[in-house]
Amino acid sequence: MSAVKSIAVLTSGGDSQGMNAALRAVVRSGLFHGLDVYGVQRGYQGLLNDDLRPMDLRSVGDIIQRGGTILQTARCKEFMTLEGQQRGAEVLRARGIDGLVVIGGDGSYQGANKLSKLGIKTMGLPGTIDNDIPFTDVTIGFDTAVSIVVDAINKIRDTMSSHERSSIVEVMGRHCGDIALYAGLASGAETILVPEVTFDLNEVAERMKTNFANGKRHSIIVVAEGAAKGDDVSQKITEISGIEARVTVLGHIQRGGTPTAADRILAGRLGDFAVRQLLEGNSGKACGVVNGELTTTDIELVTSTKKAFDMDMYDLALRLSQ
């Protein structure tokens, strides 16, 4: 006997490319296994408003290639309270919904954990471009975001080379520098600044000055927003080296657009896996991929653990930037 007969799915927090692909996988896997499936509009706010709608095969047709989320997403302060969490659980029970799949980042996982403690069977899927969720090698949307940044840097490098200038590219990542690290490595950036590693802008400026003196005619610095603001870095670099450093802030362009094949496949695997875990009676888990294998981890452990920064990758980028 299945542990669940009816499930709901919601997307919460910041959107990421591949959320629609994950939603599609949850809905179609649920229907394949004979479950009733509901979509929750606008995340936890929609849950409190009882804004749920039945999902069928056609409701998730032609969305695998679309960025954003057709269910939309919203912040919900009310759900941070015990009263709000209890209301959310009551809405699901009143509709006869046994399980909930939450697609989002750390804050979304916090909500799923609270519902789990109130008796709702929950599964979390890591949907965030920041790649800051522990116990999974990669999050849904990260690969696409990195690809967008690399493409932008390629174009910026063309014009910087033509005009013999330096460029500072500010990317997303308040607490996690993975986008800056991976995009910087993939694009051959000379300097990568992340919140996890201390840095000295005097040293950065002096190295740039030396490189230009040795015949280099352009330089790319990638900075995560949580490490420093691009304008502050530019001002300091110019003051020390006398080299003009133009700033490009990529902003929300990193969260939009068509997901890469890697993100679509990751979303499909995780969405189907989450449904199968609920069918087996599991709850309060976060789904992930470790060394290519699908895994689950207690969601409370995930929310209480900070993801380790990959210093080996950072050191590699440093060696190759010389």
Side-chain angles (χ1 to χ4, degrees):
M1 294 292 292
S2 168
V4 295
K5 299 295 184 182
S6 176
I7 64 172
V9 55
L10 64 80
T11 53
S12 176
D15 62 309
S16 67
Q17 307 94 330
M19 275 188 167
N20 279 327
L23 166 63
R24 174 182 180 272
V26 170
V27 171
R28 294 198 169 183
S29 180
L31 294 173
F32 176 84
H33 291 287
L35 303 179
D36 293 325
V37 184
Y38 293 83
V40 183
Q41 292 289 146
R42 299 177 184 84
Y44 290 115
Q45 187 63 61
L47 178 60
L48 297 186
N49 294 340
D50 195 14
D51 191 2
L52 286 74
R53 60 186 174 95
M55 305 291 283
D56 58 22
L57 291 176
R58 299 285 70 80
S59 65
V60 291
D62 195 32
I63 69 169
I64 194 171
Q65 80 283 5
R66 293 171 58 184
T69 162
I70 64 167
L71 289 181
Q72 301 178 296
T73 179
R75 308 288 181 182
C76 183
K77 291 185 178 180
E78 185 181 355
F79 196 77
M80 297 178 183
T81 67
L82 178 58
E83 293 77 10
Q85 294 152 14
Q86 291 173 335
R87 166 65 179 155
E90 289 168 3
V91 168
L92 292 170
R93 291 194 183 98
R95 283 187 171 262
I97 294 172
D98 307 308
L100 177 68
V101 178
V102 174
I103 308 169
D106 180 72
S108 305
Y109 276 18
Q110 296 278 0
N113 186 38
K114 299 298 184 182
L115 287 174
S116 177
K117 291 184 176 181
L118 292 173
I120 302 298
K121 293 182 175 64
T122 60
M123 283 287 153
L125 298 187
T128 168
I129 68 169
D130 290 330
N131 203 40
D132 59 349
I133 303 297
F135 302 103
T136 184
D137 291 340
V138 66
T139 59
I140 299 168
F142 176 67
D143 184 72
T144 306
V146 169
S147 297
I148 289 170
V149 174
V150 170
D151 180 63
I153 292 175
N154 289 341
K155 294 170 181 174
I156 290 169
R157 187 184 292 277
D158 289 343
T159 190
M160 290 301 106
S161 299
S162 299
H163 293 276
E164 297 184 339
R165 291 173 180 161
S166 293
S167 184
I168 296 166
V169 181
E170 182 183 317
V171 303
M172 285 184 166
R174 284 180 295 174
H175 306 293
C176 178
D178 277 15
I179 292 177
L181 173 59
Y182 282 74
L185 176 60
S187 60
E190 284 73 23
T191 302
I192 301 170
L193 306 180
V194 295
E196 295 89 346
V197 181
T198 57
F199 56 87
D200 184 345
L201 287 181
N202 290 284
E203 293 179 0
V204 173
E206 288 298 332
R207 183 169 60 162
M208 182 183 294
K209 190 175 180 179
T210 299
N211 287 340
F212 269 75
N214 290 335
K216 199 160 195 175
R217 288 296 172 257
H218 68 272
S219 180
I220 300 289
I221 297 174
V222 181
V223 54
E225 61 184 341
K229 293 300 180 185
D231 287 336
D232 295 337
V233 175
S234 174
Q235 182 178 351
K236 188 70 172 179
I237 293 294
T238 303
E239 287 176 0
I240 297 171
S241 67
I243 300 171
E244 181 184 16
R246 297 291 181 88
V247 179
T248 301
V249 180
L250 294 182
H252 286 81
I253 191 174
Q254 296 159 86
R255 292 216 317 229
T258 299
T260 61
D263 271 327
R264 299 185 201 190
I265 293 168
L266 175 66
R269 294 182 69 197
L270 288 173
D272 173 73
F273 184 59
V275 172
R276 289 189 286 113
Q277 288 295 305
L278 288 173
L279 287 167
E280 292 174 10
N282 293 322
S283 175
K285 303 291 185 181
C287 301
V289 175
V290 178
N291 295 325
E293 298 294 326
L294 295 167
T295 64
T296 59
T297 306
D298 287 342
I299 202 162
E300 187 159 18
L301 177 60
V302 174
T303 58
S304 61
T305 304
K306 180 177 174 59
K307 185 169 184 176
F309 184 70
D310 192 340
M311 281 303 302
D312 289 339
M313 191 73 72
Y314 182 85
D315 290 338
L316 170 62
L318 186 63
R319 289 194 300 271
L320 298 184
S321 67
Q322 304 303 310

